[in-house]
Amino acid sequence: MSIRLGNSCTNCDNFQNNFCTKHETAVNVQHTCDSFDMKAAIKNEKNCLNCARYESPTCANPQKAAPGMLCSHWAPQATA
């Protein structure tokens, strides 16, 4: 199973402090809508340097892992 950033309100440009500025209502990670607009600050530049498994015991390819490389086990690092 792959894990990806979803179209949830927390990844939307209109999300601020658990509130949707477009729809003027309280929202959280469980919500999304047809007006979803991905935050420009979230990048989907997958590679070893921004993988949570890079240089850790859980890296699937420790002998090959290098900046710029991508594998099917990529795990985004926490953005917080």
Side-chain angles (χ1 to χ4, degrees):
M1 173 177 78
S2 297
I3 298 173
R4 294 179 180 81
L5 291 175
N7 288 355
S8 80
C9 288
T10 57
N11 293 329
C12 182
D13 240 357
N14 300 312
F15 179 77
Q16 294 180 6
N17 300 318
N18 293 329
F19 189 81
C20 175
T21 58
K22 180 172 182 125
H23 299 289
E24 299 180 352
T25 189
V27 293
N28 63 38
V29 69
Q30 298 170 322
H31 298 98
T32 193
C33 75
D34 293 336
S35 302
F36 177 83
D37 189 18
M38 184 69 99
K39 287 182 182 176
I42 295 178
K43 303 288 185 207
N44 199 14
E45 297 169 0
K46 303 176 189 177
N47 71 72
C48 288
L49 289 181
N50 57 22
C51 180
R53 295 185 180 105
Y54 184 53
E55 297 183 337
S56 78
T58 60
C59 178
N61 302 293
Q63 303 302 319
K64 298 178 182 177
M69 182 187 160
L70 173 62
C71 74
S72 61
H73 299 276
W74 181 80
Q77 293 179 347
T79 57

